[in-house]
Amino acid sequence: MARNSEKAMAMLNRFTAMKKAEGKEAPQRRPYLATECDDLAAAERWRHQIIREVAKKVSQIQNAGLGEFRIRDLNDEINKLLREKRHWEDRIIELGGPNYHKVGPKMLDHEGKEIPGNRGYKYFGASRDLPGVRELFEQDAPAAPRKTRGQLNRLIDTDYYGYRDDEDSTLIPREREAEENAIAAACQDWKARHSVADENGDAQDAEEEDIYAVEEEHDDGEDMKSGKTAGDSDEEKSFVAHVPVPSQKDMEELLVKRKKMELLEKYASESLQAQNQEAKALLGLG
């Protein structure tokens, strides 16, 4: 049995502990949702608490001797805490605090490594050497799928073809100004050329060239009848035919002959066509 002095000492210990606990507040638990906290100082305190927990677990996961299952559990807990930390940082921004997404340290985020092509989940420490994970890091990132022609044409509208360029309030005034400047420059050039021609007294050069003028063509027979030589005809004609050109009558005869041949091939028998060819051969018309 215990002595009375020992019992009194035990009672004194309990009384002393009770007095110390009276002046302290009960320990608070971190809210499950960041939106439940309306105090900026409390939100920053919970964020720092999460950072301490993440740092502790990251140091633990470096030990490869913990076993595969313990390492996987630690890696899941670290990713869960990082997601919760981002929620608290968003809540701090809503409460008017600093933006830790931009100014906060990224040391813990850089410790993890994401699988190529799978964003959001990171592997820390020894979890990168687990079976099935090491092979994922050795693979190359999958190539981006090539878009089909239909997907490319889905984003094309009238702006791509320039159909609504006239709706721009600055384009039409600029075009009108450029057109007026071009017309004024052309008129000034025309007046300058005509003034120089009038000063030189060369009225013939000042006349505008008639772009619709057509030179008359003459046959060789008509040139011979009129007594013109080859040299005179070369000066008047700008085009000389080096091959015989059929006349209108020759073309009509050729068309009639071709039509006859088509009718014979369509309605005449082979024997009749052979007789026709023999008759032509005898008459010398073939």
Side-chain angles (χ1 to χ4, degrees):
M1 295 181 61
R3 298 178 182 178
N4 294 333
S5 59
E6 294 177 357
K7 293 181 181 179
M9 185 61 66
M11 290 291 295
L12 181 60
N13 290 336
R14 289 197 297 270
F15 178 77
T16 305
M18 183 182 65
K19 285 296 183 180
K20 290 181 179 180
E22 287 180 357
K24 295 182 179 180
E25 297 180 357
Q28 296 181 356
R29 296 184 59 183
R30 187 169 64 240
Y32 182 75
L33 298 177
T35 55
E36 297 177 358
C37 180
D38 297 330
D39 186 13
L40 178 60
E44 292 186 352
R45 184 173 71 252
W46 298 131
R47 175 181 173 274
H48 288 299
Q49 182 183 6
I50 294 173
I51 291 176
R52 288 193 297 270
E53 294 179 5
V54 171
K56 181 179 178 181
K57 293 182 182 297
V58 168
S59 62
Q60 293 176 359
I61 204 173
Q62 305 299 326
N63 185 9
L66 294 176
E68 179 182 350
F69 298 103
R70 178 56 181 164
I71 292 175
R72 291 185 184 275
D73 293 340
L74 281 174
N75 197 74
D76 292 340
E77 293 174 3
I78 292 172
N79 281 274
K80 182 179 178 181
L81 289 173
L82 288 178
R83 287 195 300 270
E84 188 175 357
K85 182 175 75 72
R86 286 193 291 270
H87 294 328
W88 281 105
E89 290 174 352
D90 295 337
R91 184 57 179 170
I92 290 173
I93 295 174
E94 294 175 359
L95 295 175
N99 186 359
Y100 288 106
H101 294 302
K102 296 181 179 179
V103 300
K106 303 294 182 181
M107 185 183 303
L108 296 177
D109 293 340
H110 293 332
E111 287 287 338
K113 188 175 181 182
E114 295 178 348
I115 296 177
N118 184 17
R119 297 187 58 186
Y121 191 87
K122 296 182 178 182
Y123 290 88
F124 296 83
S127 63
R128 291 194 287 264
D129 297 328
L130 291 175
V133 180
R134 186 187 305 106
E135 293 79 3
L136 296 176
F137 284 110
E138 293 176 355
Q139 295 179 0
D140 297 334
R146 187 176 180 180
K147 292 184 179 181
T148 61
R149 186 178 296 273
Q151 293 175 347
L152 294 175
N153 294 333
R154 192 179 302 164
L155 303 177
I156 294 178
D157 53 4
T158 55
D159 293 334
Y160 177 80
Y161 297 100
Y163 289 147
R164 293 192 293 186
D165 289 346
D166 295 340
E167 297 180 2
D168 189 1
S169 59
T170 61
L171 180 61
I172 295 178
R174 290 180 181 177
E175 290 181 349
R176 188 181 298 110
E177 182 180 357
E179 182 180 1
E180 293 175 356
N181 295 336
I183 293 173
C187 293
Q188 186 176 1
D189 186 20
W190 183 85
K191 291 178 181 179
R193 286 191 288 105
H194 278 258
S195 61
V196 172
D198 293 340
E199 291 176 359
N200 296 335
D202 191 0
Q204 187 177 1
D205 293 341
E207 294 180 358
E208 295 183 358
E209 182 182 358
D210 188 5
I211 61 175
Y212 299 103
V214 179
E215 297 182 359
E216 297 181 357
E217 297 181 358
H218 301 281
D219 296 337
D220 295 340
E222 294 180 358
D223 294 342
M224 294 300 291
K225 291 179 182 179
S226 60
K228 296 181 179 179
T229 61
D232 298 336
S233 62
D234 291 341
E235 294 178 357
E236 295 180 0
K237 296 191 297 181
S238 61
F239 175 76
V240 177
H242 299 282
V243 294
V245 180
S247 62
Q248 183 69 20
K249 185 177 180 181
D250 295 338
M251 294 297 297
E252 291 178 357
E253 292 178 356
L254 182 62
L255 291 175
V256 171
K257 184 177 179 181
R258 185 176 178 182
K259 191 67 176 179
K260 287 181 180 180
M261 293 299 298
E262 291 178 356
L263 292 175
L264 284 174
E265 292 177 357
K266 185 175 182 180
Y267 296 104
S269 60
E270 295 180 357
S271 60
L272 185 58
Q273 292 181 12
Q275 293 176 2
N276 189 17
Q277 293 292 338
E278 292 176 1
K280 287 183 180 181
L282 293 174
L283 294 176
L285 299 176

